[in-house]
Amino acid sequence: MLLAVVVVGALTARSQLTESEPRGAEGAAAVNPYEQARRAGVQDLLNRWAGAVRAGDTDALAALFDRAAAPEFLASEIRRSEHLAAVPLADWGYEIGSDPETPVPTDLAEQLDATDVWAVPAYLRYAVEGADAGSTRKPVSLIVARRGENWTLVSDRSLPEYGRHTWRGPWDFGPVVVREVETGSHSSVVLGHSDQEELIDAIAADLADAVSSVTELWGPDWSQRALVVVSSSQEEFMEQVGADHSGSDIAAVAVSDVVEPGSDSATGQRVVFSPAASERLDEDTRHSVLRHELTHVAARAATTDGSPMWMLEGFADYAGHRDADAPVGRAAPILAAAVVAHGPPTRLPVDADFMAGGERAQAAYELAWSVSAFVADRFDEPTLRELYVDLATGPVDSHELDVKLHEAVGLSASEFVTDWGRWVAEGLD
């Protein structure tokens, strides 16, 4: 079984535009004419920037840049515009967030000698046609300047000293290859670059069946669509999934925006394959990894961060392997060897096991898979899904686990572990 580390929580929180809090006498909103005009002027600049990029209008784009802007900034935006032409966009825009002000680097402000300079809390807002039910928002570390009445673009370089970062999409890493696939009643999209075209095509060919398989297990109550990104470099991969997931043993990661309380859907859902996936995955493991990740997409809105990883990852791994109907010894070789040497498992894996890397993490995934496979076999798949929903509500202590297991399968935690261990051992006979 291939280790496929999966992010079930959000890597990037969505910042929402909010109105100013009421201030002043009797709660009347205090309006600062200068700030109001500043925001309006910069938002107009952002609207024209987005329009020029999306339209591929190089002249209009160049007219928006400050005379002191680094030439590479404009060059990169022209390349981005060219690469985006292949992507079916449903939305593309920039907006001003409500984040606290951060300073403009002193050397840059002095160099510009402008009427006003602003480190804008900007966000890129975009959606891919078909694959995205709604737009996602990504941070832009933007500096703009005003000369007379005109606002211009100065820089979008990240400023880590101020905690500011500019997110880069696949189109910022080279020309984009796009495959659109009908999945259910929607369109899904696989995108990457020409050096990964073989993997892109293989994923696209399998995607409809993978979505159907996940729907059989989870049920139809999800979007039944996906945006799959195939990275060509480690830098691109880390930009999509976060620096915490840079290990060489990672094949793919599922990411999303933060799910708002009470929401029945999630934005920004992506399945991202690492640059090493094309070499590390054969047909069978690619098949299981894609279904594993899509299961996280399907279950994301019903999943609270901090829930037991043995349930979250075990359920996803069960979904990845259910079509293969592999015996324990083949699906979980490390677990099988441990049972032969030491006897059946006597405890559920803890979250730290999954984070450890190497064989310890591999064993944790195999143990988790076997728990879900046990429930599906001893009871049925609807019971397994019910157990997932019951346990995916956040951290669970031993008493809560005892209660939830008894409600779902009629066993206490100790009885559950004993029966599961016996099932694993019997599967090796």
Side-chain angles (χ1 to χ4, degrees), residues 110-306:
E110 292 175 348
Q111 170 193 340
L112 288 170
D113 189 29
T115 307
D116 190 8
V117 184
W118 187 15
V120 186
Y123 286 84
L124 165 65
R125 185 196 68 247
Y126 84 95
V128 174
E129 185 71 45
D132 282 324
S135 298
T136 183
R137 299 166 82 242
K138 302 298 182 184
V140 182
S141 176
L142 186 64
I143 305 292
V144 297
R146 181 165 64 87
R147 300 185 185 278
E149 297 302 316
N150 296 319
W151 285 97
T152 54
L153 301 168
V154 175
S155 171
D156 74 340
R157 66 184 175 90
S158 295
L159 298 170
E161 63 271 33
Y162 300 122
R164 303 188 67 202
H165 173 70
T166 293
W167 178 83
R168 306 294 182 187
W171 36 82
D172 295 310
F173 292 89
V176 180
V177 172
V178 178
R179 300 288 184 265
E180 297 183 59
V181 180
E182 292 303 312
T183 55
S185 59
H186 299 287
S187 292
S188 292
V189 173
V190 185
L191 58 83
H193 310 287
S194 59
D195 63 311
Q196 295 279 23
E197 198 159 4
E198 184 176 348
L199 178 56
I200 292 168
D201 287 341
I203 292 171
D206 188 30
L207 192 53
D209 285 344
V211 168
S212 178
S213 177
V214 171
T215 301
E216 286 178 6
L217 175 63
W218 182 255
D221 191 21
W222 70 292
S223 66
Q224 299 181 51
R225 68 180 99 180
L227 177 56
V228 182
V229 178
V230 181
S231 306
S232 287
S233 69
Q234 192 65 13
E235 179 186 2
E236 180 181 10
F237 180 65
M238 291 171 63
E239 188 67 56
Q240 308 312 305
V241 305
D244 292 341
H245 303 279
S246 58
S248 60
D249 55 355
I250 298 176
V253 175
V255 299
S256 79
D257 295 336
V258 169
V259 178
E260 298 178 5
S263 175
D264 60 357
S265 62
T267 60
Q269 298 233 69
R270 307 286 183 260
V271 173
V272 187
F273 281 78
S274 75
S278 58
E279 297 178 358
R280 296 186 60 240
L281 300 179
D282 58 23
E283 183 177 357
D284 289 340
T285 53
R286 185 186 66 244
H287 175 103
S288 63
V289 167
L290 180 59
R291 284 153 180 76
H292 177 119
E293 306 300 341
L294 287 174
T295 301
H296 285 297
V297 172
R300 184 64 187 104
T303 304
T304 301
D305 297 340

Side-chain angles (χ1 to χ4, degrees), residues 396-419:
V396 178
D397 62 26
S398 58
H399 173 70
E400 291 173 315
L401 177 60
D402 211 52
V403 171
K404 291 186 176 187
L405 283 172
H406 193 273
E407 289 176 346
V409 298
L411 299 173
S412 68
S414 61
E415 291 169 335
F416 181 86
V417 169
T418 298
D419 284 5

